Amino acid sequence: MTHLRYPKDQFRGIRTGLRLFRQPIMEPRGSVIRTLENCPEGYPRLAALLDCDEKFMLYRKFGFLQARILLNKQDELRELEKDLDRLDKVDQGKDPSLLKSREKDDATNGRRKKLLNDIEGKFTEYAQLLTTARDIASFNRPAARDYQSVKSYFDEEAPLCTVESYIYWKEDIITLKPGRETAWLDAFIERVLQKLSSRFIRYIFCSPELSRKTDPEVTGIMLYSRKGIDVVALLVITAMVLALLIIPVYILWHLTRAIQSGKDTAIIIGILLVFTLTFSGTLSLLTRAQRHEILASAAAYCAVLVVFIGNVGQPSPPKTS
């Protein structure tokens, strides 16, 4: 076997050439963020604003046009239905066998087949419109605070001409923001954060991507991370649940040990009633539980407190020597 040998200088030249053709190492690129200030005024900047936060995603549902289109398709189907009834009555008088055999009817003239195809096309369009209208109707109305935020932007900046400023159709506005069980609590937390707005607050509750979307000192728009608000809301809910369990137990424990008269018993029953109502109200505000679920939970909560009262209030048996 023959081995090829290269001089050392030639080998160095080959390595140098390979080094020249070697691809440079790509540095990691940061995420691309569309900033509000860099977008042109008008529709571009308005689109950037609506994309900043889910609470700004407000659009028209065109409920009036939905109703007009559905009514029009509905009446077109009524007219086709009337034509089909008329054709059935004519064939019933001339040749009733055509109504008993589809194959014979198609072979005779095909009028009914063509009419049914027209009905099928119109009904498919009508069904699609109904489904779309139902889906749009399931969207939530925007919270008053979210609507006012977008409306204030239209009032101050006037991003669109007067005719195309859709935000003023208040009763026709829907939001793409999904409904949340603690929406009011989220809004309260965000309102508190805006009142306490500072660099430290924005550093904690605003991600780097959100902070790059807009400068609050220039635009007056403050964006907060949904994750941070969810954490605060979870802490508030946890604290409320613990308080509704610990506070009545502590109060009832002291009252049951010092019970001496019927007046003290009435106070215990009153406390039991107040905290049960508070628990039910908390479930209604913080969850989407239905009425029977709230009643069942309130009954279980009340039962726990009653069992606690019964166990603590029982006198201890005397010690036998």
Side-chain angles (χ1 to χ4, degrees):
M1 181 179 292
T2 303
H3 297 278
L4 297 178
R5 297 183 178 180
Y6 297 96
K8 292 184 178 179
D9 295 339
Q10 185 177 357
F11 185 69
R12 291 195 190 98
I14 294 174
R15 288 192 299 178
T16 305
L18 292 175
R19 204 176 293 121
L20 291 175
F21 285 101
R22 186 179 299 168
Q23 294 292 335
I25 300 175
M26 298 295 294
E27 296 182 358
R29 299 177 59 184
S31 57
V32 179
I33 302 296
R34 188 185 297 273
T35 60
L36 185 65
E37 295 80 5
N38 292 335
C39 292
E41 294 183 358
Y43 275 103
R45 184 170 295 184
L46 177 61
L49 171 71
L50 300 181
D51 186 53
C52 280
D53 196 294
E54 61 181 10
K55 66 183 179 181
F56 296 149
M57 296 180 179
L58 307 184
Y59 303 94
R60 287 188 62 184
K61 65 178 180 179
F62 292 100
F64 174 76
L65 295 182
Q66 289 182 46
R68 287 298 302 269
I69 295 173
L70 286 172
L71 290 173
N72 184 67
K73 289 293 180 184
Q74 177 180 268
D75 196 65
E76 288 179 353
L77 280 172
R78 179 201 60 79
E79 187 176 3
L80 291 173
E81 182 184 27
K82 184 179 180 180
D83 294 341
L84 181 61
D85 291 338
R86 186 184 301 114
L87 181 60
D88 290 341
K89 290 180 180 180
V90 171
D91 289 340
Q92 183 182 13
K94 292 183 178 180
D95 189 1
S97 63
L98 295 178
L99 301 177
K100 299 181 179 180
S101 175
R102 180 201 57 81
E103 185 176 358
K104 181 180 179 181
D105 180 66
D106 293 345
T108 301
N109 49 42
R111 290 183 301 172
R112 185 176 285 101
K113 180 179 181 180
K114 182 179 182 303
L115 181 58
L116 287 174
N117 288 335
D118 294 340
I119 293 175
E120 181 182 359
K122 290 293 182 181
F123 182 79
T124 302
E125 296 176 2
Y126 181 67
Q128 291 177 350
L129 288 172
L130 283 177
T131 304
T132 303
R134 181 195 61 188
D135 294 339
I136 294 178
S138 64
F139 288 121
N140 296 323
R141 295 287 301 275
R145 187 170 178 273
D146 296 342
Y147 173 80
Q148 190 61 37
S149 298
V150 180
K151 182 177 177 296
S152 298
Y153 179 80
F154 272 79
D155 293 338
E156 297 173 4
E157 302 295 334
L160 305 179
C161 62
T162 304
V163 178
E164 300 180 19
S165 297
Y166 70 93
I167 197 65
Y168 298 103
W169 293 78
K170 183 176 181 181
E171 296 300 319
D172 200 47
I173 298 296
I174 59 175
T175 177
L176 302 186
K177 179 181 177 181
R180 293 168 52 84
E181 294 184 347
T182 58
W184 70 272
L185 183 58
D186 295 345
F188 175 77
I189 294 173
E190 191 170 348
R191 193 179 303 114
V192 172
L193 292 177
Q194 289 184 355
K195 290 183 178 180
L196 301 177
S197 179
S198 63
R199 292 184 179 272
F200 179 73
I201 294 295
R202 290 197 294 269
Y203 176 78
I204 296 178
F205 290 94
C206 186
S207 63
E209 290 77 12
L210 285 177
S211 60
R212 290 169 55 188
K213 284 186 176 182
T214 181
D215 185 1
E217 297 180 358
V218 176
T219 62
I221 300 174
M222 291 175 286
L223 304 175
Y224 297 101
S225 173
R226 175 58 52 190
K227 184 178 180 180
I229 294 178
D230 290 342
V231 171
V232 176
L234 180 61
L235 293 176
V236 172
I237 294 174
T238 304
M240 293 180 66
V241 171
L242 291 177
L244 288 174
L245 289 175
I246 295 175
I247 294 178
V249 167
Y250 179 79
I251 296 175
L252 293 174
W253 181 77
H254 278 279
L255 290 177
T256 51
R257 292 183 64 87
I259 186 170
Q260 295 179 354
S261 63
K263 184 178 180 181
D264 296 331
T265 304
I267 295 176
I268 292 175
I269 295 175
I271 293 175
L272 186 64
L273 177 62
V274 169
F275 277 97
T276 302
L277 292 176
T278 304
F279 179 79
S280 302
T282 303
L283 286 181
S284 300
L285 290 175
L286 300 182
T287 68
R288 293 184 177 179
Q290 299 181 1
R291 293 179 180 177
H292 65 277
E293 295 173 338
I294 295 177
L295 290 176
S297 301
Y301 176 81
C302 184
V304 170
L305 296 182
V306 169
V307 170
F308 173 79
I309 294 173
N311 291 335
V312 175
Q314 291 179 356
S316 57
K319 296 182 180 180
T320 58
S321 56

